[in-house]
Amino acid sequence: MCDRILFLYMKILGIETSCDETALAIVEADGGLSHPHFKVISEAINSQTKIHEKYGGVYPMMAKREHSKNLVPLLKDLLKGFQLEKPRDLKIENEEEIKKILERETELLQQFLEVIPTIPKPDIDVIAVTVGPGLEPALWVGVNFARALGLVWDLLVLPINHMEGHILSVLLDQSQPVTFPALALLISGGHTELVLMRDWQQYEILGRTRDDAVGEAFDKVARMLELPYPGGPEISKLAEKARTSERSNHQITKLPRPMLNSPDYDFSFSGLKTAVLYRIREMSQAEKLLPFWKEELAQEFEDAVTEVLIYKTKKAIEEFNIKTLIVGGGVIANSHLRQEFQKLIKEGGETKLLTPQPSLSTDNAVMIAMAGYFKSLNDHKPVLDFRATGNLSLQQDSL
């Protein structure tokens, strides 16, 4: 019993490489499942946005190479000023095994063998690493780095579902407990899912996108409008200009609200994206000379997306008597969408809304460390043999 109580306090190293962010974090956690509390001790992140922006999207193998190059330098930055053990013998006892683990990451292996022996082991209890979903080549870099570190530092490595990280990201600096049943809407560049939670780590996917994820649709529409990458924030800027303008007569054709009245909780944004494309093709040169046409089209697109997300979420809240609504993922950084969800909850009255801090809405290692804490507290045996899985689902028993 005493061991169990002591185990409620942990320091976790989180590692995230699911897409184009190389991220590490050390998080202090306590309180158990009933009153979880988290404190970020140290965080380091490297964004690849500038590298991929000229292509209008993320190239998996390029992302993989950048992760391999950045992980060891980021670890050094992460541990600056962190409490470290006394210097030890500068030798890796399991060098051959490390070489086998990192055999496909030549640059990472070289840096690992040169630098890691010079770093004293930090005061951490476990390593948590994203294993999916995401870009599989990128995921493998983080997984193998975590395995190698776990071997050298003699620490357990926990496989973490990236989407679970987005759910738990709302708990940082959150004083109010989550009341169940809870509903999580996960909206990002790769995912759009409505997830029912009757307790922690009990997930039932009510609906998901049948084609494009909402963040993906934002980026594709932004490219149609010749806006910079990433496109989501650019669409939002234009949409906000249209909303705050003094023009009263909007001339953009109303876009469809796909699957708004379908009997299920699934989403579809491919048709909406195509409708934008057709509208642009139909516009006359005179219309395209007007300075505000992009702004109004951006607003109509954002309104269409928001209306669908709000409607489906409200429907699920009412059907399952939801007490807590969690909205996570990069798209919740959209200010208009946040405002509309706040309005929805005020109208409902009994449901509380939890969203992450802006810095935790995009991919980060803090949320992976937080998910590692929850995984360490469950009663299942540790998963020792795991792999990176690009299309990993929250409902898969392997985690």
Side-chain angles (χ1 to χ4, degrees), residues 299-362:
Q299 180 192 348
E300 176 61 14
F301 170 75
E302 189 175 72
D303 286 348
V305 169
T306 301
E307 188 175 334
V308 171
L309 292 175
I310 293 290
Y311 184 86
K312 295 270 185 174
T313 302
K314 181 180 180 181
K315 178 181 172 183
I317 288 173
E318 293 172 350
E319 179 175 347
F320 296 99
N321 191 27
I322 296 300
K323 303 300 182 184
T324 306
L325 172 62
I326 295 170
V327 187
V331 179
I332 195 52
N334 180 296
S335 59
H336 176 67
L337 194 57
R338 277 182 181 259
Q339 291 168 7
E340 292 303 306
F341 272 108
Q342 288 166 357
K343 290 179 185 178
L344 170 65
I345 295 306
K346 285 181 181 179
E347 292 172 0
E350 296 182 0
T351 306
K352 63 182 176 184
L353 172 66
L354 298 180
T355 58
Q357 300 176 8
S359 63
L360 295 189
S361 61
T362 54

Side-chain angles (χ1 to χ4, degrees), residues 13 20-21 29-30 47 51 64 76 92 96 105 109-110 115-116 155 160 168 202 237 258 281 285 311 324:
L13 168 63
D20 60 342
E21 307 283 357
D30 61 16
S47 174
I51 296 173
K64 168 189 166 72
K76 290 179 66 178
I92 294 181
E96 291 306 314
E105 321 297 340
L109 173 60
Q110 182 179 349
V115 176
I116 299 304
L155 291 173
I160 301 300
L168 298 177
Q202 294 183 16
K237 289 177 186 177
R281 288 177 176 175
Q285 286 302 116
Y311 184 86
T324 306

Side-chain angles (χ1 to χ4, degrees), residues 10-50:
M10 300 180 67
K11 289 179 182 175
I12 305 113
L13 168 63
I15 301 174
E16 157 64 24
T17 63
S18 66
C19 192
D20 60 342
E21 307 283 357
T22 313
L24 301 174
I26 294 176
V27 173
E28 187 178 76
D30 61 16
L33 296 179
S34 57
H35 297 90
H37 176 263
F38 301 95
K39 179 182 178 182
V40 180
I41 303 299
S42 184
E43 185 178 11
I45 188 167
N46 181 282
S47 174
Q48 301 176 21
T49 300
K50 292 294 182 183

Side-chain angles (χ1 to χ4, degrees), residues 98-204:
I98 297 296
K99 288 180 178 178
K100 185 176 181 180
I101 292 173
L102 298 176
E103 61 183 352
R104 295 188 178 182
E105 321 297 340
T106 307
E107 185 172 4
L108 177 57
L109 173 60
Q110 182 179 349
Q111 290 187 35
F112 193 98
L113 294 177
E114 290 176 358
V115 176
I116 299 304
T118 70
I119 302 176
K121 178 183 176 181
D123 178 24
I124 57 175
D125 301 293
V126 70
I127 298 172
V129 61
T130 305
V131 296
L135 303 175
E136 205 156 295
L139 287 165
W140 270 117
V141 181
V143 167
N144 289 332
F145 180 64
R147 281 175 166 162
L149 273 184
L151 185 63
V152 172
W153 288 345
D154 192 26
L155 291 173
L156 178 66
V157 179
L158 299 173
I160 301 300
N161 189 302
H162 181 81
M163 305 313 292
E164 183 171 39
H166 277 305
I167 291 173
L168 298 177
S169 68
V170 302
L171 297 179
L172 189 67
D173 297 329
Q174 179 56 241
S175 58
Q176 298 182 8
V178 171
T179 307
F180 296 98
L183 181 71
L185 174 65
L186 304 176
I187 44 178
S188 67
H191 297 85
T192 307
E193 296 179 349
L194 268 175
V195 183
L196 176 64
M197 301 166 55
R198 301 191 187 278
D199 203 343
W200 290 121
Q201 298 186 304
Q202 294 183 16
Y203 304 114
E204 178 187 347

